[in-house]
Amino acid sequence: MTHHDDAPPYENPPPEKGRRLHYAWFVAAITFLTLLTVAGIRSTPGVLIVPLEHEFGWTRATISIAISVNLLLYGLMGPFAAAFYDKIGVRRTMAIALTLLAVGVSATTLMTRPWHMVLIWGVLVGCGAGMLTNSLSATVTARWFRKGQGTVMGVLTASVATGQLLFLPYLASLTETKGWRSAALLIASAALVILPLVLVIMRNYPESVGLKPYGAPPDEPDQTLLRPTGNPFRIALGGLERGMHSRDFWLLAASFFVCGASTNGLIGTHLIPACVDHGIPEVQAAGLLAMMGVLDLFGTTLSGWLSDRYDSRNLLFCYYGLRGLSLMGLPFALGGPQWSLTAFAIFYGLDWIATVPPTVRLTADSFGRENVGVMFGWIFASHQVGAALAATFAGTVRTYLGDYLVAFLLSGVICLLAAGLVLRINKAALPGIPADATN
């Protein structure tokens, strides 16, 4: 491996013992800031739908197509993101992705036709965000940490909720007072601010700065000599081929498809416009989503703790079942007293991505821990396919039927179906028999 692109920030780095803070923490911090910014960018469409509808006269069905393309590419890029990290390095990949995001989000201020939004927000922003998925968190954690990996991964995952909390209310307020173009330029500027920090601080491996991973023994082999020798793209496609012959893969993918459809695609994209339809101010609606982001952090952390102690299938049965019931009650909460919508936000927020830890656990049980990255990458891709289809479907329902009632009720129904599906995952496995023996 050549290190010209990953040169140390100093010629002769001091020995690890002389450092008060391991360089891994700087890498983790810049990764957190990057993912936080991406989360802010990805939460922006919910704020833009109504202003674009008013200014250009575009229907929500039309606008939702661009958002669906974005969601789809974000998911499909995930399984291949590791290929970029290995081939051109983490720092270069992050820099390219942030550049695409800054250019794409800025260019939205110039669009005048629906296809402009599909190309700019759908393709450019979708590809840029897709290069900075959960794979980045996993790669950084695996390369830079031997101690505290779970804590670091949890904090990096929390960046999604934190980004939504920090950006969404302010973007909604700015859109209301200064216009949606000001909000777009602000979020694009955030990507540009992070870019030089990535170029200066980010490194591919601890060995690039003369260190071992945090908490690693002194005799641990150099990671740069242990890089995968196979074609990462072929490995990713091989995982998909294996999954297509496994019943458990299809059950996991189907349930996570429903997860994406009922979260990012429906609530993440259309809750704010639905609130506006019922006379709720956009800033107040954005505040509800931000509150969900905070509660999501607690709910997902608790879900991880529970998945270490209880059957993940039973947990998912509860999560999907309760989510389905809450979505079926959402239309009545929107038209009811304020407390009912707040109650929905609290209940739904705790359940938002609580499905992730049990799903990862079941993926590891079914396909082995050494394969969980690739296999979960494809399962997550199905999550985003569901999100993309739901975003378009809900926008179309609103355009032609005048409200979101059918979209919310149908989403609740498929969540109840998913609750039944998850009970069949890995059902044939018995104690002492490998989980994927029947696949």
Side-chain angles (χ1 to χ4, degrees):
M1 174 181 176
T2 59
H3 293 281
H4 65 278
D5 177 55
D6 206 30
Y10 32 73
E11 289 296 325
N12 297 304
E16 185 173 355
K17 291 182 180 179
R19 302 175 65 86
R20 290 187 176 182
L21 192 63
H22 195 284
Y23 200 81
W25 295 108
F26 293 99
V27 171
I30 197 62
T31 303
F32 179 87
L33 290 175
T34 300
L35 294 172
L36 182 147
T37 303
V38 173
I41 291 173
R42 295 190 62 245
S43 68
T44 306
V47 175
L48 299 183
I49 288 179
V50 174
L52 292 175
E53 188 179 35
H54 289 165
E55 179 170 337
F56 297 112
W58 300 343
T59 65
R60 293 190 192 178
T62 299
I63 298 171
S64 296
I65 291 174
I67 298 174
S68 296
V69 172
N70 177 287
L71 291 168
L72 185 61
L73 288 176
Y74 177 77
L76 293 179
M77 287 289 288
F80 300 98
F84 292 100
Y85 304 147
D86 286 332
K87 288 297 182 181
I88 65 175
V90 175
R91 182 172 65 169
R92 280 184 176 176
T93 304
M94 292 174 70
I96 292 171
L98 287 168
T99 301
L100 284 175
L101 290 173
V103 171
V105 177
S106 298
T108 59
T109 61
L110 305 175
M111 62 187 184
T112 57
R113 298 286 187 274
W115 69 266
H116 293 169
M117 188 174 182
V118 173
L119 178 62
I120 295 170
W121 193 270
V123 178
L124 281 182
V125 178
C127 286
M131 295 167 72
L132 302 171
T133 62
N134 290 335
S135 298
L136 176 62
S137 302
T139 299
V140 168
T141 302
R143 290 184 181 181
W144 284 87
F145 293 88
R146 293 296 175 269
K147 183 170 65 175
Q149 283 189 340
T151 301
V152 174
M153 188 67 187
V155 171
L156 294 180
T157 303
S159 63
V160 176
T162 307
Q164 183 171 303
L165 168 66
L166 290 179
F167 283 102
L168 199 52
Y170 186 69
L171 289 174
S173 178
L174 190 62
T175 299
E176 189 175 83
T177 57
K178 302 291 185 180
W180 68 268
R181 289 179 177 82
S182 296
L185 291 174
L186 172 68
I187 201 71
S189 300
L192 288 177
V193 169
I194 297 297
L195 178 57
L197 296 177
V198 168
L199 293 173
V200 171
I201 297 174
M202 197 67 194
R203 294 293 178 268
N204 286 338
Y205 293 95
E207 289 81 2
S208 303
V209 290
L211 298 173
K212 294 293 184 182
Y214 178 73
D219 59 347
E220 178 173 306
D222 189 327
Q223 293 183 88
T224 61
L225 302 177
L226 300 175
R227 295 171 59 193
T229 55
N231 185 320
F233 290 93
R234 186 171 298 172
I235 293 173
L237 292 174
L240 176 62
E241 182 180 4
R242 178 185 178 186
M244 292 180 70
H245 292 87
S246 166
R247 185 198 63 181
D248 285 345
F249 176 83
W250 287 108
L251 290 172
L252 286 163
S255 62
F256 227 41
F257 174 97
V258 172
C259 181
S262 57
T263 54
N264 302 68
L266 181 63
I267 298 300
T269 302
H270 290 284
L271 179 62
I272 293 178
C275 288
V276 173
D277 287 347
H278 286 80
I280 301 170
E282 193 168 16
V283 174
Q284 182 180 341
L288 285 172
L289 273 180
M291 182 173 68
M292 288 182 186
V294 177
L295 294 168
D296 165 50
L297 173 61
F298 291 102
T300 303
T301 302
L302 177 61
S303 177
W305 184 85
L306 291 172
S307 64
D308 288 332
R309 292 161 175 78
Y310 301 99
D311 190 325
S312 293
R313 292 169 296 187
N314 293 335
L315 293 176
L316 288 176
F317 172 81
C318 294
Y319 297 158
Y320 283 116
L322 293 174
R323 183 185 299 178
L325 294 176
S326 68
L327 285 170
M328 295 174 76
L330 178 56
F332 307 99
L334 285 168
Q338 176 60 39
W339 66 263
S340 62
L341 189 57
T342 302
F344 167 81
I346 294 172
F347 188 85
Y348 188 89
L350 290 169
D351 189 67
W352 184 286
I353 55 172
T355 54
V356 173
T359 301
V360 173
R361 181 67 176 265
L362 288 171
T363 303
D365 291 344
S366 297
F367 301 100
R369 296 189 181 278
E370 69 279 4
N371 300 312
V372 68
V374 171
M375 300 309 296
F376 183 71
W378 285 112
I379 292 168
F380 179 75
S382 73
H383 180 282
Q384 293 306 110
V385 172
L389 292 177
T392 298
F393 175 76
T396 303
V397 166
R398 168 60 177 78
T399 297
Y400 292 103
L401 299 183
D403 57 40
Y404 288 102
L405 177 63
V406 171
F408 289 142
L409 293 179
L410 183 58
S411 182
V413 170
I414 63 173
C415 282
L416 296 179
L417 292 175
L421 287 178
V422 296
L423 293 176
R424 300 187 60 81
I425 297 172
N426 205 12
K427 191 174 182 180
L430 298 172
I433 300 177
D436 60 344
T438 59
N439 293 334

